[in-house]
Amino acid sequence: MRINNNYLKEQLKHVYWLNGGCCGGKTTMTKKFVAELGFQTLSDDVLKYRPFTNPTE
């Protein structure tokens, strides 16, 4: 299925992705965004994906 990029940009213009390395302050910044700006968050349980990853990674 092909979707027009402009359509996706319009539909997701209110979505922000916060990512970074370990101890980078992602959780701290997310808490500030929620408390001060009223953002809503979607939780992602990283541990549920652990069985599918390679232990050396």
Side-chain angles (χ1 to χ4, degrees):
M1 175 167 80
R2 293 186 59 144
I3 299 175
N4 186 331
N5 282 338
N6 291 331
Y7 174 79
L8 285 178
K9 287 179 185 178
E10 181 65 27
Q11 294 299 310
L12 298 174
K13 67 181 178 182
H14 65 286
V15 176
Y16 296 90
W17 297 97
L18 183 62
N19 58 36
C22 298
C23 300
K26 299 177 297 290
T27 301
T28 302
M29 291 306 298
T30 300
K31 288 178 183 177
K32 288 181 87 52
F33 291 151
V34 169
E36 295 179 15
L37 301 173
F39 281 25
Q40 295 180 358
T41 62
L42 296 175
S43 62
D44 182 15
D45 185 4
V46 175
L47 294 178
K48 74 180 178 182
Y49 300 111
R50 192 61 79 181
F52 302 109
T53 60
N54 183 341
T56 58
E57 294 176 359

